[in-house]
Amino acid sequence: FENFSPALGDSALALTLPGQAAPWLPKLVCFRSMPAVSRTLTVSLAANLALATVFFMMATRNREGLQGGIAAVQRVSGSSRVLTRPSRTAVFGKVTEPEMKTYDFGWMEDELISPGMGMSNKDRPLIDQRARPRRNRRTDGMRDMVRENFLTPANLIYPLFIHNEPDNVPIPSMPGCERHSLESMLNEVGEAKAEGVRSIILFPKVEDDKKTNFGEEAYNPDGIVPTAIRMIKEKYPDMLVITDVALDPYSNMGHDGIVENGVILNDETVQQLCQQAVMQAEAGADIVAPSDMMDGRIGAIRDALDVEGYSNVSIIAYTAKYASAYYGPFRDALDSHPGFGNKKTYQMDPANSREALLESDLDASEGADMLMVKPGLPYLDIICRIKDHTDLPVAAYHVSGEYAMLKAAAEKGWLNEKDVALETLLGFRRAGADVILTYYAKQAARWLNGKD
């Protein structure tokens, strides 16, 4: 507020707010005839009130809050020194590069208030601090040189929803995602592959008339999943195809296993899962991913694959799959909501972490090649603990609810989608995930490749 303009003639000074219409702000006037001390106090009060007013006005004009600074008057009366604002223009508009300007800080010598501060030989304040982590953040080149974790398209697994329909169907709760026809699936795989994504995982929407309690459609060699595998392998033989091993898409009960008298059966379900996994391997799957959370299913599936000659087919175990509220949009996509109750008798309690280590030990001993944590963001601690606990690669699933929340916030303009999505995926890597299943895979790969 460097323009205290004489709006009332020689007898008074009026403090104005340039460029701002603030009829509700009373005029603050300091008459020249007042004693010097009184004038000083009045102008000081006026300046502080005006400063607070402008901060309030700026905050109400922009939902991101204050993104810059404003000029501040230092010692309105009795000093000629004014702290000027940096020339980084526009508090709320597009920020431009700062003006290159060197300041004189010699005046601070007489005002140092911390016992740990002195002045350098260059007449600048100097704290007694030899280790300065900011030195390693000083330039882009420096930050790149010491970066600890990296995210590449090859770290991403792309989940695709498929159905036996000629047209795609958008999934309202997952903006940007669709149930793909098989032809559209091929196009999507090709686009992802062109961006460097090397692996996809298939999730089928099965027709209701094919769903049963025993889920026999899960191992139909002419079903949608084996058909999709063969199509992908024929056109993109080097694309890694991962398949979901579970009964819920094929169950008229909406559960991951056979239901008897309201109980999800374990061993009987594992028998069905073994048949499903072998059928998927026969169709050309590179990796099977049991997501059912039945006890002992990893060892049983490993043995079934080996006996049938598929010892090279890998297993990604859903090791720590929690009974989470974040799965809602996924179940919308596949119409696989539980027909009754919930999945808490086989999926893990969100309150538990040591149990995840027990599950990881069991899956590793039974022949799993990779261990997965699902969901991702609320369970970064589990990813970290399992990573420290095992020598196997660790996967994290950035699930539908996490994806949907980010999409919704971006659509509202509350977040920068690209920056937050990439930061989220890098967070998985930092926590210990070697690979990440994410619906952002293709889009994130484009961003990583410098594309919009």
Side-chain angles (χ1 to χ4, degrees):
F1 309 129
E2 297 156 8
N3 51 342
F4 288 88
S5 58
L8 301 180
D10 292 338
S11 61
L13 288 174
L15 178 61
T16 63
L17 294 176
Q20 297 288 346
W24 45 270
L25 181 66
K27 292 286 185 180
L28 298 169
V29 180
C30 172
F31 288 94
R32 294 187 187 278
S33 59
M34 297 174 65
V37 173
S38 178
R39 286 202 308 272
T40 299
L41 292 175
T42 304
V43 173
S44 177
L45 174 63
N48 279 281
L49 179 57
L51 186 62
T53 300
V54 172
F55 266 103
F56 173 79
M57 292 169 66
M58 289 192 298
T60 58
R61 285 178 56 193
N62 190 293
R63 61 173 167 262
E64 293 290 344
L66 302 177
Q67 297 180 348
I70 68 169
V73 175
Q74 183 77 7
R75 300 178 182 176
V76 174
S77 177
S79 172
S80 61
R81 175 163 50 79
V82 175
L83 296 181
T84 59
R85 90 177 49 153
S87 60
R88 198 168 175 83
T89 62
V91 173
F92 295 103
K94 182 178 179 180
V95 177
T96 61
E97 288 301 315
E99 178 186 4
M100 301 306 293
K101 183 176 181 179
T102 302
Y103 292 91
D104 178 10
F105 289 95
W107 55 268
M108 286 188 175
E109 184 171 7
D110 296 330
E111 300 186 11
L112 298 177
I113 60 175
S114 172
M117 292 192 70
M119 297 296 288
S120 72
N121 292 338
K122 301 294 185 181
D123 287 331
R124 285 176 170 261
L126 179 68
I127 60 174
D128 184 11
Q129 176 72 20
R130 293 180 180 83
R132 293 182 182 249
R134 284 188 60 185
R135 283 194 287 261
N136 287 340
R137 308 173 196 144
R138 190 169 54 85
T139 67
D140 288 341
M142 187 72 75
R143 291 189 295 272
D144 289 346
M145 183 174 67
V146 299
R147 184 160 293 131
E148 299 175 28
N149 295 283
F150 298 88
L151 177 69
T152 72
N155 298 125
L156 307 177
I157 297 174
Y158 193 13
L160 290 176
F161 301 111
I162 56 175
H163 66 174
N164 261 324
E165 300 290 340
D167 299 315
N168 292 358
V169 176
I171 302 166
S173 55
M174 298 181 67
C177 292
E178 300 176 292
R179 295 177 193 150
H180 290 274
S181 69
L182 294 184
E183 286 301 321
S184 174
M185 171 202 70
L186 280 181
N187 293 335
E188 195 71 8
V189 170
E191 291 177 7
K193 183 176 184 295
E195 300 297 341
V197 176
R198 305 294 300 277
S199 53
I200 57 101
I201 183 168
L202 299 173
F203 294 103
K205 165 67 174 70
V206 178
E207 299 95 320
D208 288 344
D209 61 0
K210 295 182 178 178
K211 295 181 179 181
T212 66
N213 187 26
F214 286 78
E216 293 92 345
E217 183 65 18
Y219 48 87
N220 176 5
D222 297 317
I224 183 173
V225 169
T227 300
I229 296 170
R230 288 189 287 266
M231 291 175 66
I232 295 171
K233 281 299 182 179
E234 181 178 353
K235 190 167 184 178
Y236 304 108
D238 57 344
M239 177 63 85
L240 289 174
V241 178
I242 306 169
T243 52
D244 178 49
V245 178
L247 295 188
D248 53 330
Y250 308 90
S251 169
N252 59 4
M253 299 288 184
H255 277 280
D256 292 55
I258 299 171
V259 179
E260 182 181 60
N261 298 322
V263 176
I264 288 76
L265 303 179
N266 192 93
D267 296 14
E268 295 83 352
T269 295
V270 171
Q271 162 60 20
Q272 300 294 81
L273 300 178
C274 288
Q275 294 192 74
Q276 182 183 19
V278 169
M279 180 275 299
Q280 293 170 347
E282 288 174 347
D286 298 286
I287 305 171
V288 296
S291 64
D292 57 287
M293 290 298 288
M294 298 296 118
D295 291 340
R297 90 276 198 207
I298 300 300
I301 291 172
R302 180 72 274 161
D303 291 343
L305 290 171
D306 291 349
V307 166
E308 295 298 327
Y310 299 109
S311 57
N312 288 332
V313 173
S314 301
I315 297 177
I316 296 180
Y318 282 66
T319 294
K321 182 178 180 180
Y322 285 85
S324 171
Y326 283 86
Y327 303 148
F330 177 94
R331 292 170 182 170
D332 293 343
L334 299 185
D335 189 21
S336 61
H337 292 270
F340 66 91
N342 52 55
K343 300 189 176 185
K344 294 182 179 180
T345 64
Y346 47 99
Q347 294 178 359
M348 284 181 54
D349 186 339
N352 294 351
S353 60
R354 292 195 306 272
E355 186 180 4
L357 302 183
L358 170 62
E359 291 282 3
S360 70
D361 287 341
L362 289 170
D363 288 350
S365 68
E366 292 173 24
D369 300 287
M370 192 177 301
L371 309 178
M372 187 192 301
V373 177
K374 180 181 180 183
L377 277 178
Y379 298 89
L380 293 178
D381 60 317
I382 306 301
I383 296 171
C384 185
R385 292 194 69 176
I386 290 180
K387 183 66 174 181
D388 290 342
H389 188 72
T390 182
D391 292 327
L392 293 176
V394 175
Y397 202 140
H398 185 216
V399 300
S400 60
E402 301 167 46
Y403 171 88
M405 289 191 298
L406 206 166
K407 280 287 186 181
E411 287 181 358
K412 288 285 188 180
W414 295 339
L415 292 175
N416 180 307
E417 183 179 14
K418 172 185 173 182
D419 291 349
V420 174
L422 292 179
E423 182 179 342
T424 298
L425 298 176
L426 184 61
F428 288 126
R429 295 278 290 149
R430 189 183 62 249
D434 298 284
V435 296
I436 306 157
L437 290 79
T438 176
Y439 305 100
Y440 269 111
K442 186 179 79 169
Q443 190 173 9
R446 287 181 58 83
W447 288 330
L448 291 170
N449 292 331
K451 303 175 183 178
D452 292 332

